[in-house]
Amino acid sequence: MTTNHEPYGWYVPAGSAAAGPYALDIDPRRAGWAHSSLRVLELPPGGTHALDAGESEWIVLPLTGGCTVNTQGKLFELRGRASVFSGVTDFAYVPRDAHAQIASGAGGRFALAGAKCERRLPARYGPAPEVPVELRGAGGCSRQVNNFGAAGVFACDRLIAVEVLTPGGNWSSYPPHKHDEHRPGVESELEEIYYFEIDGDGVGYHRVSPSRPGGTDVLAEVRTGDTVLIPDGWHGPSIASPGRDMYYLNVMAGPGESREWLISDHPDHGWIRETWPGLAVDPRLPLYEAPSAGPDSDPDPERAAAKPGATVGAGTAPAAEEDSR
């Protein structure tokens, strides 16, 4: 069942929210909420795009191809990647009230993950070698999480963003979980966007079930370019069909004073975690690892000034960020 919400509904098929150069253009007004945004920018070879950040902070994340991001007097060269299934990518942070020029010599597709915010942080570069690549779950619930924009990993005011890769046949975002209430130390209130890509033009399935009367209720077959908006509710599982790996980009933001990612498991399904210690992680994982740091891996030496005090290295999960996705 899909519960519709103007103008698109919570399930947004590929192309149904396109606008201008954006294959996907979701902002708070279109989503009917207050904070989270996601755009997918498609640039032809030699293409350029002017981004006006407005009241939101943004992360420019290559999905395919590389680009340059020129903002706040800094030029960031993003090497990017061939596809979301081929490797970890570097990225750039654009602060609120800034203007940025995005250009790509070879062309490509670039996710712009955004969140309305109050603080104006410095523009920064995020090197691929510093992205923590984490394996979560076990057995058929094994998945890989690229924590490039997780809280405690990369400094933002409100924005939280991660990538999840699920091998064909596995379930992720499981057990179902929610973050739609402010309960200090237990659960954060966060709006969330899931943007999907399926390897080999396959299909997957995603479920959101109500956590309150009249809440969000979605059961969707998802393909590359499809999106699911989650203002509330138990979300999961995300199911990858056999032989077709699944990718999704999670973008989150909310009203809480602290930038936290705290979740509650569904009471009927949380027991599955107790079975994981006796199971091995799927041997197909990781699908790839973050690259090793090279001499030219960080073109922005000033970015460290705005990072949290604790550094999380590649392959290490932030202990306070355990989640089901």
Short mmCIF file of all heavy atoms in Angstrom, two decimals, residues 21 90-91 183 317:
data_model
loop_
_atom_site.label_atom_id
_atom_site.label_comp_id
_atom_site.label_asym_id
_atom_site.label_seq_id
_atom_site.Cartn_x
_atom_site.Cartn_y
_atom_site.Cartn_z
N PRO A 21 17.78 20.86 -14.62
CA PRO A 21 18.92 19.95 -14.70
C PRO A 21 18.87 18.82 -13.69
O PRO A 21 19.74 17.94 -13.69
CB PRO A 21 20.11 20.87 -14.40
CG PRO A 21 19.54 21.91 -13.48
CD PRO A 21 18.13 22.13 -13.96
N ASP A 90 35.03 10.87 -2.92
CA ASP A 90 35.22 12.09 -2.16
C ASP A 90 34.00 12.98 -2.36
O ASP A 90 33.10 12.68 -3.16
CB ASP A 90 36.51 12.81 -2.59
CG ASP A 90 36.66 12.96 -4.09
OD1 ASP A 90 35.76 12.52 -4.84
OD2 ASP A 90 37.69 13.52 -4.54
N PHE A 91 33.92 14.10 -1.63
CA PHE A 91 32.74 14.95 -1.68
C PHE A 91 33.11 16.34 -1.21
O PHE A 91 34.23 16.58 -0.73
CB PHE A 91 31.61 14.36 -0.82
CG PHE A 91 31.97 14.16 0.64
CD1 PHE A 91 31.68 15.14 1.59
CD2 PHE A 91 32.60 13.00 1.07
CE1 PHE A 91 32.01 14.96 2.92
CE2 PHE A 91 32.94 12.81 2.40
CZ PHE A 91 32.64 13.80 3.33
N ARG A 183 13.05 11.79 21.99
CA ARG A 183 13.19 11.17 23.30
C ARG A 183 14.66 11.21 23.66
O ARG A 183 15.45 10.40 23.16
CB ARG A 183 12.66 9.73 23.29
CG ARG A 183 11.16 9.64 23.00
CD ARG A 183 10.64 8.24 23.26
NE ARG A 183 11.12 7.28 22.28
CZ ARG A 183 11.24 5.97 22.51
NH1 ARG A 183 10.95 5.49 23.71
NH2 ARG A 183 11.67 5.17 21.56
N ALA A 317 33.18 1.99 12.76
CA ALA A 317 31.86 2.56 12.96
C ALA A 317 31.86 3.47 14.17
O ALA A 317 32.44 3.12 15.20
CB ALA A 317 30.83 1.45 13.16
#
